[in-house]
Amino acid sequence: MQYATLIEADFSLTDSEYPTFEKSGGELTLKFEDNIGERVEVYFGETIAFNWQECIHLLENEKVNSCYVIENSGWLRDHINQNIIYDGEGYNHYKFNFGDLGQLEVLSIGFQKKT
């Protein structure tokens, strides 16, 4: 069963502006303006898949305006089962909930805020 583990990010999704995305090769960059007008850029390294949707779908313990790692991810397992990646390579299923704007889900090695 999938479940969400909260990530303490050094940025806020609360009341942010609608995000944009740039994908180049295996790199994904998320850009948005936060609730105090600061431009935020988040870099995802070695991204193998991502999905943006405006429909909000939360797991049992998820909240809006928060970032999570999805544990026991079926989406991640599909990529492993199809030999796109291998178990143990360090990929995670990340989920960023932008309140009523939508959700971003990413399969990646990790992410960091660009400064």
Side-chain angles (χ1 to χ4, degrees), residues 39-102:
R39 187 78 178 147
V40 177
E41 290 189 24
V42 181
Y43 166 81
F44 295 86
E46 297 187 45
T47 299
I48 57 166
F50 73 99
N51 178 57
W52 169 259
Q53 65 181 26
E54 294 183 3
C55 174
I56 306 300
H57 174 60
L58 301 174
L59 296 174
E60 186 175 313
N61 62 326
E62 275 186 274
K63 297 178 183 172
V64 295
N65 301 316
S66 299
C67 304
Y68 294 91
V69 170
I70 305 303
E71 309 288 350
N72 299 322
S73 166
W75 192 33
L76 183 59
R77 179 62 46 200
D78 288 344
H79 285 76
I80 293 168
N81 290 343
Q82 294 180 34
N83 297 317
I84 296 167
I85 58 173
Y86 298 99
D87 204 6
E89 282 187 293
Y91 281 89
N92 287 303
H93 177 174
Y94 298 103
K95 189 172 181 186
F96 288 25
N97 296 325
F98 283 84
D100 60 356
L101 297 177

Side-chain angles (χ1 to χ4, degrees), residues 16-57:
S16 66
E17 297 293 321
Y18 197 90
T20 61
F21 317 97
E22 292 178 8
K23 177 82 164 73
S24 177
E27 300 174 355
L28 174 70
T29 303
L30 162 68
K31 298 179 180 182
F32 63 94
E33 191 172 296
D34 69 12
N35 62 344
I36 59 171
E38 179 182 334
R39 187 78 178 147
V40 177
E41 290 189 24
V42 181
Y43 166 81
F44 295 86
E46 297 187 45
T47 299
I48 57 166
F50 73 99
N51 178 57
W52 169 259
Q53 65 181 26
E54 294 183 3
C55 174
I56 306 300
H57 174 60

